[in-house]
Amino acid sequence: MSAEHEYAIELQGVSFQRGARSIFDKVDIRIPRGKVTGIMGPSGCGKTTLLRLIAAELRPSAGDVRVAGVSLPKLSRDELFDMRKQMGVLFQSGALFTDLDVFENVAFPLRVHTQLPEEMIRDIVLMKLQAVGLRGALELMPDELSGGMKRRVALARAIALDPQILLYDEPFVGQDPIAMGVLVRLIRLLNDALGITSVVVSHDLAETASIADYLYVVGDAQVLGQGTPAELMESDNPRIRQFMKGIPDGPVPFHFPAPDYREDLLGRG
Amino acid sequence: MRRISPLERLRLFGRAGIDVVATLGRSVLFLVSALCGRSRAGKPLQLLIKQLFAVGVMSLAIIVVSGIFIGMVLALQGYNILVSYGSEQAVGQMVALTLLRELGPVVTALLFAGRAGSALTAEIGNMKSTEQLSSLEMIGVDPLKYIVAPRLWAGFISMPLLAMIFCVVGIWGAAMVAVDWLGVYEGSFWANMQNSVSFYDDVLNGVIKSIVFAFVVTWIAVFQGYDCEPTSEGISRATTRTVVYASLAVLGLDFILTALMFGDF
């Protein structure tokens, strides 16, 4: 299998800066096609930024982001919008349109991008909602849904156009165990049933490791490590060990940098 | 507290200047991107009608009530001054010219900034903070065309109409006070107004003013929402900025337009 077919997404030497701060420095990431890939790392390390670079919502300062072999930074705005029809994104908040009910939220991509008759749109929406277990909630408004239900509706909307790639931004944050279990199952199930490529950006180790075929751990503007969940659990790298085992102090220090504690206490007055 | 050196102060001042210029540049690009080109998603006319209702129709109550009261106050104040010169019949003329030339466009714009402008900023800011704008982009729909453009056009269209309604109800309120209450002769009230109000100099100039104010106020409101920091504090700061910037812009532009239209030079 050629590299072009093996990888759905490739980040080649990608750098990204916000002001003077370097978020990523010449990062190389390759996301295998048809698999669930987890991108993990401590809070604030730039995981969501990475997702936005893949979705071309942000442009890298240097390097290339290729999706299905197409270089995203070189696309015009209109070409980018066409390209995004092949991608679905599940945002952390769900990002449902608050003025539309569940049915219209899921139907939205179909209405704006297709000329399908109303009956067919209804059938597709019902199928997508059935897949996430919320066919019975089609008349509810977003503010009547729980956090977990919002994400499931958003997931139904994200797969409405049958995308090739699904990107998940912190899908497990703030979920109760049942909702989390449902989401974990859905991500794996949809990936396998629809044959899509899934990228899960998360810091929830157990859930992500349980469904991911491959993991990247990012931090310090670099890829700290990569491999299967089992390989990373056995890693000798102290940064990866600290993250994978949840050790409170280590290369990522417990204390924010500060002057000497003794001097700070005695030096006053 | 951290002490700031004079050099650091100068750097911060320079930084603030660069930020202002950058924001102005962004706002112009934002406006051009939103208004140029066609939306490829949704039905533009339906989106516009929905926004005309939200921005225009929903502002009617405050415009009508304010217009009536301002007209009534103008008539009362005008009558008290004019009666001492025996010219109380000119109260209709005074009210009409004041409303058509100045108060109609200006007060409508200020009320519009407070009612519809702040709502537009908060709505778009909330869409940004809840990732609805990002979500649209990811669905392949340009939020500038789908969200911003209908709101801009709705503001451009509705504010001049609201200013006209404001003037009409203001004059009606003035007639109630002057004619029905204070006893000014009805024929003189309307005839003086008819003789002194020029369609081109007064009515048309007032409409031109309100079109300019509509453009500026809506642009500021929508841009502030789109450009705000996506947090609750960011949205509240952006909403405040909309009302302050729009009010100052309206009053400043009013002076410039008045000087151009009515200035004798």
Side-chain angles (χ1 to χ4, degrees), chain B residues 44-238:
Chain B
L45 192 63
Q46 271 183 12
L47 294 172
L48 176 64
I49 290 170
K50 197 174 163 190
Q51 289 311 315
L52 277 172
F53 178 81
V55 169
V57 177
M58 297 303 283
S59 302
L60 259 178
I62 191 172
I63 295 292
V64 168
V65 173
S66 308
I68 288 178
F69 282 123
I70 286 179
M72 288 164 83
V73 168
L74 276 178
L76 202 54
Q77 291 278 17
Y79 179 85
N80 283 336
I81 296 168
L82 292 170
V83 78
S84 54
Y85 300 101
S87 316
E88 66 270 20
Q89 281 81 9
V91 74
Q93 167 190 355
M94 188 215 78
V95 168
L97 290 177
T98 313
L99 282 173
L100 289 168
R101 286 182 175 192
E102 285 300 328
L103 289 186
V106 173
V107 176
T108 303
L110 295 177
L111 292 172
F112 188 87
R115 161 63 183 81
S118 58
L120 283 174
T121 304
E123 185 192 17
I124 295 176
N126 188 47
M127 283 181 179
K128 189 177 181 182
S129 75
T130 54
E131 297 179 306
Q132 290 180 57
L133 297 183
S134 297
S135 181
L136 273 174
E137 286 213 20
M138 292 317 304
I139 290 171
V141 175
D142 189 349
L144 287 175
K145 302 279 189 298
Y146 189 80
I147 298 288
V148 171
R151 284 162 176 76
L152 281 170
W153 284 115
F156 298 165
I157 294 167
S158 58
M159 205 207 284
L161 295 173
L162 288 170
M164 284 184 222
I165 293 169
F166 183 95
C167 292
V168 169
V169 295
I171 291 169
W172 181 61
M176 276 200 306
V177 169
V179 177
D180 301 335
W181 181 27
L182 299 171
V184 173
Y185 177 57
E186 193 175 5
S188 319
F189 181 91
W190 294 112
N192 271 335
M193 193 187 295
Q194 232 172 338
N195 290 335
S196 60
V197 172
S198 147
F199 178 75
Y200 290 106
D201 288 344
D202 304 317
V203 179
L204 203 61
N205 277 338
V207 172
I208 291 170
K209 271 187 179 182
S210 66
I211 290 171
V212 173
F213 296 158
F215 184 79
V216 173
V217 171
T218 317
W219 179 16
I220 289 173
V222 174
F223 177 70
Q224 287 297 336
Y226 198 81
D227 200 50
C228 76
E229 199 187 316
T231 60
S232 23
E233 294 85 8
I235 296 169
S236 95
R237 276 199 296 272

